[in-house]
Amino acid sequence: MNTQSNAIPESPLESQVIAPAVISPTRRMYWSVRRELWESRSIYLAPLAVAAIFLFGFLISTIHLPDKMRAALELNPVQQHESIEQPYIFAALLIMATAFIVGVFYCLDALHGERRDRSILFWKSLPVSDLTTVLSKASIPLVVLPLLSFAIIVATQLIMLLLSTAVLLGSGLSVAKLWTQLPLFQMSLMLLYHLLAVHALWYAPIYGWLLLVSGWARRAAFLWAGLPLLAIGVVEKVAFNSSHFASLLKYRFMGHLAEAFVFDARGVHSLAQLTPGKFLSTPGLWIGLAFAAAFVAVAVRQRRYRGPI
């Protein structure tokens, strides 16, 4: 005699196998970059703070702006251009220097910090590869900071122009000379070229080296990043009485100016000064990018096998 089974048949939903959601590599990279912005707020707070402090100082200096404009009108056209453009260029240089410093300290802490606070154990449990993680960290100084700096500089210069216009109009002076001697659109194009093509590409091996040290050093990453370079220079000077390595470092920090620009003897800034063809055909650029790729590859390997400190 057959007995009836008491087992409850599975519902159609329970019998279906739920496949894990597939996350594209692009989306993983996007959220990895978002993570860096969440964890390192100095990436955008430091340039914004410097821009705000500069604007505060510029606002105070507008008290004497009418007198400065009257004095500038008595100069020749080239000197007028330099006098009017000077504070805008200084603002750009200040914010770019801040972004570079932020990039240096960020790279030194990017891989070292997660090993120090042991958060690497949590991040490695997520379905994100070491390559994606390291590339997202490298994208901060190479892509995010240049674009962010460009936006902050353009906004700062625009606010400066509006403040100057309001002060001059309030003093009864014409603003025609101010607007004609200050081509913001042309300056913005030159700035974008300088930040993306020059700072990001030319300084790539510097940031790559700092990421490598960040993933290797157990402590004092800043010293480990600088001391080997200093030691090589000292040994070369003592042993061979030469300074080729020091010249190489100087070329890496300052050589982009001669390769990417041609300077006007009159001090006038124009798009004709940009030499992207010469810059992109410079052997030093591609050798540096090759070193940067090698440094990043080593940093990926270090993150894969190194655990918490």
Side-chain angles (χ1 to χ4, degrees):
M1 184 174 179
N2 296 332
T3 60
Q4 186 177 2
S5 174
N6 293 326
I8 301 175
E10 293 182 349
S11 64
L13 293 178
E14 291 177 346
S15 61
Q16 292 179 356
V17 177
I18 301 176
V22 178
I23 305 176
S24 65
T26 304
R27 191 161 184 81
R28 295 185 186 189
M29 174 63 72
Y30 168 77
W31 284 107
S32 296
V33 174
R34 288 284 298 270
R35 165 207 161 186
E36 299 303 319
L37 295 176
W38 287 333
E39 290 191 336
S40 304
R41 296 184 179 181
S42 61
I43 293 171
Y44 54 88
L45 288 181
L48 284 173
V50 170
I53 294 172
F54 182 86
L55 284 175
F56 179 73
F58 181 78
L59 178 61
I60 297 175
S61 70
T62 55
I63 298 174
H64 306 287
L65 182 61
D67 296 332
K68 293 179 180 179
M69 183 58 67
R70 293 188 185 97
L73 293 176
E74 299 177 358
L75 303 173
N76 61 61
V78 174
Q79 292 176 329
Q80 286 181 13
H81 183 80
E82 291 179 353
S83 177
I84 294 174
E85 194 180 41
Q86 184 178 6
Y88 296 84
I89 294 179
F90 182 74
L93 292 176
L94 190 63
I95 296 173
M96 283 194 293
T98 302
F100 177 74
I101 294 173
V102 169
V104 168
F105 281 94
Y106 167 81
C107 289
L108 285 173
D109 192 63
L111 297 174
H112 186 264
E114 65 178 10
R115 293 166 56 222
R116 184 179 60 248
D117 60 16
R118 306 180 70 85
S119 63
I120 189 174
L121 298 176
F122 169 75
W123 294 116
K124 279 195 170 186
S125 66
L126 300 180
V128 180
S129 66
D130 296 298
L131 177 61
T132 301
T133 300
V134 175
L135 287 180
S136 68
K137 294 177 183 297
S139 69
I140 297 298
L142 297 179
V143 180
V144 175
L145 270 173
L147 292 176
L148 184 64
S149 301
F150 173 75
I152 294 175
I153 291 171
V154 171
T156 301
Q157 292 178 337
L158 183 59
I159 294 173
M160 292 169 63
L161 180 60
L162 295 177
L163 287 174
S164 301
T165 301
V167 171
L168 292 177
L169 289 176
S171 303
L173 295 176
S174 174
V175 297
K177 184 64 69 173
L178 174 66
W179 284 77
T180 56
Q181 293 287 352
L182 195 66
L184 281 185
F185 180 73
Q186 179 175 289
M187 292 171 59
S188 298
L189 290 179
M190 296 180 66
L191 176 66
L192 185 62
Y193 168 75
H194 192 277
L195 285 171
L196 290 182
V198 179
H199 268 238
L201 297 179
W202 192 262
Y203 290 159
I206 298 175
Y207 295 127
W209 165 253
L210 296 177
L211 283 173
L212 185 153
V213 174
S214 177
W216 173 81
R218 295 185 61 85
R219 59 181 61 87
F222 186 83
L223 291 179
W224 281 111
L227 285 180
L229 306 180
L230 179 62
I232 293 174
V234 171
V235 169
E236 181 195 359
K237 185 65 177 178
V238 173
F240 305 104
N241 194 26
S242 62
S243 56
H244 298 297
F245 187 75
S247 299
L248 179 63
L249 291 180
K250 181 180 178 181
Y251 177 72
R252 180 49 53 185
F253 278 97
M254 302 297 297
H256 65 281
L257 296 176
E259 304 293 352
F261 301 93
V262 55
F263 293 96
D264 194 329
R266 301 172 299 169
V268 178
H269 298 89
S270 65
L271 295 178
Q273 292 179 272
L274 309 184
T275 57
K278 177 184 176 182
F279 176 70
L280 293 176
S281 61
T282 302
L285 170 66
W286 298 104
I287 294 174
L289 291 177
F291 272 97
F295 292 152
V296 170
V298 176
V300 172
R301 183 175 180 83
Q302 287 176 340
R303 190 180 189 275
R304 182 173 301 145
Y305 297 108
R306 284 184 174 267
I309 299 175

